[in-house]
Amino acid sequence: MTEPTAPTPAPPSTDHEVTAASAVPGAAASAAPIVPTGPVPASGPLSKPYRWLSIGMFSLIFLAAFEAMAVTTIMPLVAEQLDGESLFALAFAVPLAAGIIGMVIAGNWTDRSGPLPSLLVSAALFVVGLVIAGTAVNMEVFIVGRFVHGLSGAAVIVPLYVIVGRVYPEALRARVFAGFAAAWVIPSIVGPALAGVVAEAISWHWVFLGVIVLVVPAAAMMLPPVLRVRDQVQGDPSVQWSISRVGWSVLVAAAALGVSLAKELGDPWRWVVAIAAIALAAYAARPLLPKGTLSAARGMPATVLLKLIVAGAFFGSEIYLPYLFIENYDFSPSLAGAVLTGAGVSWAAASWLQGRLDRVSNTQAVVIGTVLLAISLAIVFVVAFFTLAPAIAFVAWTLAGGAMGFMYPRFSVAVLALSPVSAQGFNSAALTISESLGAAVALAITALVSSALGAGMFAADFAVTVVIAIVAVLLASRVRPRGEASVS
């Protein structure tokens, strides 16, 4: 699931892709201020001081999750009808690459002006992207829509994280992020099947256009609770616009797409260009990430890097699972999408669980999650390689979703805990940039391997993501900051 996100994340998780949210009508008139003047017991994200803001943000993630699950399910059908099978992986890589640019702009904008302006503009652009994709008559126009969608959708994640960091006490943040994951449950259950039914009975175009019908009123309902916390989420006008960071983000996005496009070249140039593009992406990403990220420096830098790696492993696998079931097992799109349902539910359940395991440190959660993810992807690889029963892959992918749900909220909690207020936008952007970059590069590498070995080589794609997951296992313990007790 593509979380933020997805689902993200979402994810949703996500990391993975977000727009608008809802609040109960009349909340603006009847609710008390979000955070009262005196100390407030941290009883839960839905307790009175935080209720309407939490509902709004959870609704935002809900819509993002639905859209992400739907797109992943119907993409094989879109590629077939638009004669764009060769651009299948690129259609996923483009929004991820565009999201890197959007997150840098949103991070800078949020630190300077607070989260509200970037939140509203990103939501509006998200609708524009849905319109372009939903009315596309060829794969090239569809990918343009995906670019706009990715640019704006990913940018929404940054102001949401900053709102969590500014408004909620630290004791509640893990539970808020767990709530984000829980918002994936219903979309994970009904989203894939519903998207498949709509695509088969009417047209895949309405999967995109139908989301707009939900986004617009939800965006309008999200505004009152956000406005009520604007005094707590003001930006710092002394923060300068960083044109150089935007330029670096464009270079990173271009390099990530260069890896995807390298597969169109013949041997050995496809490999030369791909390696050069990956090196360029790593170099250009350095100013966008905390110092020491690419060397896995202990603490926050390693946390950001780990999210990059696990996002590559999970999301690099996710887009091929429905494709595998459609091509090799003759599943319908709606039935093939059901594999995403199990992972969505387990992601939410595991996220809820980790939010209540106070004795489990962030490092321990990441270690457990990476090990379970590596085991799950290894099982999926074996299923694809030996053409085993698809039910085995379903169970394994459900376990993979649980692994992501258990560790993903802890990335955000750890980074916010180590971030000064003036850098929350930058560090939140860095965390989501790492997710998009990891997923985009992983998708590009799997597409490159498939093009070299021949169409339908799903086992090779999963072999790549297993290797990525093993790297995550080896580095997971470095999430522990210096001075924190070692993982037992």
Side-chain angles (χ1 to χ4, degrees):
M1 97 189 163
T2 307
E3 182 189 88
T5 294
T8 131
S13 161
T14 68
D15 340 327
H16 306 185
E17 358 184 346
V18 199
T19 57
S22 64
V24 174
S30 61
I34 292 298
V35 177
T37 54
V40 177
S43 56
L46 294 179
S47 58
K48 187 175 181 179
Y50 313 105
R51 183 175 302 147
W52 302 119
L53 181 61
S54 297
I55 290 173
M57 291 194 300
F58 296 161
S59 299
L60 187 78
I61 300 298
F62 175 91
L63 289 176
F66 182 85
E67 189 273 341
M69 302 297 288
V71 171
T72 304
T73 301
I74 67 167
M75 190 61 75
L77 185 62
V78 174
E80 179 184 358
Q81 292 190 4
L82 296 182
D83 194 24
E85 286 88 348
S86 63
L87 300 177
F88 179 84
L90 187 64
F92 284 97
V94 161
L96 291 170
I100 295 171
I101 303 171
M103 284 180 282
V104 170
I105 296 173
N108 199 170
W109 196 357
T110 298
D111 283 337
R112 180 179 170 82
S113 304
L116 185 56
S118 60
L119 188 66
L120 295 176
V121 171
S122 298
L125 282 178
F126 186 84
V127 173
V128 173
L130 289 174
V131 171
I132 296 173
T135 58
V137 294
N138 57 59
M139 198 65 171
E140 289 75 18
V141 173
F142 179 81
I143 289 177
V144 170
R146 294 283 285 163
F147 176 87
V148 176
H149 167 211
L151 182 73
S152 56
V156 178
I157 294 292
V158 177
L160 280 183
Y161 281 17
V162 170
I163 289 172
V164 174
R166 302 271 185 91
V167 176
Y168 293 83
E170 186 172 354
L172 285 185
R173 291 173 191 166
R175 296 176 67 178
V176 174
F177 289 118
F180 287 176
W184 283 77
V185 174
I186 295 177
S188 298
I189 295 173
V190 304
L194 180 60
V197 169
V198 171
E200 294 166 19
I202 308 174
S203 169
W204 62 263
H205 296 273
W206 282 102
V207 174
F208 292 93
L209 299 177
V211 173
I212 299 174
V213 177
L214 300 174
V215 166
V216 173
M221 288 189 289
M222 177 65 181
L223 193 56
V226 175
L227 288 175
R228 295 207 317 279
V229 297
R230 63 185 181 277
D231 292 338
Q232 300 168 244
V233 294
Q234 292 296 315
D236 182 358
S238 67
V239 175
Q240 300 295 313
W241 283 107
S242 180
I243 303 302
S244 63
R245 285 217 307 262
V246 176
W248 284 117
S249 70
V250 172
L251 187 56
V252 172
L257 292 179
V259 185
S260 294
L261 295 174
K263 70 184 183 63
E264 303 299 328
L265 303 175
D267 290 327
W269 293 109
R270 71 175 74 193
W271 303 105
V272 173
V273 171
I275 292 172
I278 292 173
L280 178 60
Y283 177 78
R286 293 176 64 191
L288 311 178
L289 305 173
K291 184 178 180 180
T293 295
L294 298 183
S295 59
R298 186 172 294 281
M300 185 167 63
T303 303
V304 174
L305 180 64
L306 257 294
K307 191 170 187 182
L308 182 153
I309 296 172
V310 299
F314 184 84
F315 298 123
S317 303
E318 182 186 55
I319 72 163
Y320 289 106
L321 275 172
Y323 210 171
L324 168 69
F325 291 148
I326 291 171
E327 291 292 314
N328 289 8
Y329 295 91
D330 294 325
F331 280 20
S332 66
S334 55
L335 184 58
V339 69
L340 306 180
T341 299
V345 173
S346 63
W347 184 312
S351 187
W352 174 88
L353 176 63
Q354 64 77 35
R356 283 152 179 78
L357 295 178
D358 296 333
R359 295 184 180 181
V360 176
S361 69
N362 296 332
T363 308
Q364 290 170 325
V366 172
V367 169
I368 293 170
T370 54
V371 170
L372 291 177
L373 180 63
I375 293 172
S376 304
L377 297 185
I379 295 173
V380 171
F381 162 75
V382 171
V383 170
F385 189 82
F386 292 104
T387 318
L388 302 181
I392 300 175
F394 177 87
V395 173
W397 194 246
T398 300
L399 178 62
M404 293 292 282
F406 196 76
M407 64 176 152
Y408 234 55
R410 297 304 185 95
F411 292 130
S412 303
V413 171
V415 167
L416 284 174
L418 296 172
S419 299
V421 171
S422 61
Q424 285 177 337
F426 173 82
N427 290 335
S428 295
L431 195 61
T432 46
I433 286 167
S434 69
E435 178 183 51
S436 291
L437 181 60
V441 171
L443 290 172
I445 294 174
T446 54
L448 188 65
V449 170
S450 292
S451 66
L453 298 180
M457 296 298 293
F458 297 106
D461 298 324
F462 296 129
V464 171
T465 57
V466 168
V467 172
I468 296 173
I470 291 173
V471 173
V473 173
L474 297 176
L475 295 177
S477 63
R478 298 192 65 79
V479 168
R480 176 174 59 86
R482 295 186 184 280
E484 182 182 286
S486 299
V487 178
S488 59

